[in-house]
Amino acid sequence: MASSYLTAIPFIILIVAYFTASHIRLSENPNDKLLPSIEKFGAAINRLAFEEDRRTGQYTLWVDTGASLARLGMGIGISTAIGLILGIAIGLIPYIRSTLAPLVAVISLIPPLAILPILFIIFGLGEVAKVVLIIIGITPFLIRDLSQRVMEIPIEQIVKAQTLGANSWQIITRLALPQVLPRLISAVRLSLGPAWLYLISSEAIAATAGMGYRIFLVRRYLAMDVIIPYVVWITVLAFLLDYLLRFISRRSFKWMGGEATTL
């Protein structure tokens, strides 16, 4: 209980500091847009989340949320599958490691945002380019992290499995995979931050819906009463996704002890 109070203290201080500064600015200039009051926040949230847009007939916040989560989920899902397959292959099979490991290392050094214009040229301004940016951004990290975890498997375990007659597929599915899955969830959790960054960046440049699109659309009007709630909402969603992955790890890999539940 005491730790919960201590955790809440920094957030309370930030909230109090914001509204104190907002009150001071609005007292000097009621039309100030930099630090909106709580009433303006409430009006903006109500308009975006609970009132139909007059032009589209849709609820703006939920449309943006659905579009962004769909792109994020697709990008992370594909990246996870590729990272798991190639990570195990590189970590377990020397020939594949010699062939692909240098390529993955080089790709991991490329700033994903630097090639965003290239992706738009190749894939157009639709959904594919946004998803591919997430994939390029986080997949190399997943591959390198998981391959390292596989290479850390004691060679004695592999030798014993082979002695008992296990073939390559059985070694992968019964030896490597169970030990890699907890690390996979941890790696995906660590990748959520960069994935959100790539998503918001791509939406800001070319999109018709999405949270990044909305933030950069209203910035020209200095609509902080919209931007700040969207930023807070993105943070809440990121926290919930991280919590969900941590919960899955705790429930599915209790045998890992603290290693599966840290970070």
Side-chain angles (χ1 to χ4, degrees):
M1 183 65 69
S3 61
S4 299
Y5 290 134
L6 292 175
T7 301
I9 289 176
F11 296 97
I12 294 173
I13 292 174
L14 287 175
I15 293 172
V16 171
Y18 173 86
F19 285 111
T20 300
S22 174
H23 177 74
I24 295 173
R25 290 185 66 94
L26 292 174
S27 297
E28 298 175 354
N29 179 14
N31 296 320
D32 182 79
K33 294 184 177 182
L34 183 60
L35 300 176
S37 65
I38 191 170
E39 291 80 8
K40 290 185 178 180
F41 281 137
I45 293 171
N46 182 70
R47 182 178 71 255
L48 295 167
F50 305 110
E51 293 182 3
E52 292 185 357
D53 184 88
R54 295 180 180 179
R55 183 174 58 87
T56 63
Q58 298 175 322
Y59 296 92
T60 303
L61 177 63
W62 308 120
V63 171
D64 290 337
T65 300
S68 293
L69 289 180
R71 295 162 185 153
L72 184 73
M74 189 175 300
I76 291 179
I78 295 173
S79 298
T80 300
I82 297 174
L84 180 61
I85 294 171
L86 293 185
I88 291 178
I90 291 174
L92 206 58
I93 305 174
Y95 292 111
I96 296 180
R97 184 185 313 140
S98 300
T99 304
L100 294 183
L103 176 62
V104 173
V106 171
I107 293 176
S108 68
L109 298 176
I110 300 174
L113 294 179
I115 64 173
L116 182 56
I118 300 176
L119 297 180
F120 283 139
I121 292 172
I122 296 174
F123 299 107
L125 301 179
E127 301 299 302
V128 176
K130 302 176 183 62
V131 174
V132 170
L133 178 65
I134 297 174
I135 294 172
I136 293 176
I138 68 174
T139 300
F141 164 74
L142 294 176
I143 294 174
R144 297 182 73 179
D145 190 74
L146 295 178
S147 63
Q148 181 63 38
R149 180 71 178 107
V150 173
M151 287 188 289
E152 291 173 357
I153 296 176
I155 189 64
E156 293 83 1
Q157 295 183 11
I158 299 176
V159 172
K160 288 179 181 179
Q162 292 173 330
T163 302
L164 294 173
N167 55 34
S168 297
W169 179 249
Q170 290 173 326
I171 291 175
I172 291 173
T173 56
R174 299 186 182 183
L175 178 61
L177 188 60
Q179 299 190 53
V180 166
L181 285 178
R183 183 59 198 177
L184 174 63
I185 295 179
S186 297
V188 172
R189 287 179 60 202
L190 292 174
S191 300
L192 283 177
W196 276 107
L197 172 63
Y198 304 138
L199 172 68
I200 299 302
S201 300
S202 61
E203 289 181 340
I205 295 175
T208 57
M211 290 182 281
Y213 161 77
R214 193 67 53 188
I215 289 173
F216 280 82
L217 178 67
V218 301
R219 82 189 191 284
R220 68 188 68 177
Y221 309 113
L222 299 178
M224 297 296 286
D225 57 336
V226 174
I227 294 174
I228 293 178
Y230 262 71
V231 172
V232 173
W233 180 232
I234 291 171
T235 305
V236 171
L237 291 174
F239 172 80
L240 292 176
L241 289 174
D242 180 80
Y243 180 83
L244 176 62
L245 290 172
R246 184 170 53 181
F247 176 79
I248 293 173
S249 181
R250 286 175 173 172
R251 293 295 298 270
S252 302
F253 308 108
K254 295 180 180 179
W255 52 271
M256 287 292 292
E259 184 177 347
T261 59
T262 54
L263 297 179

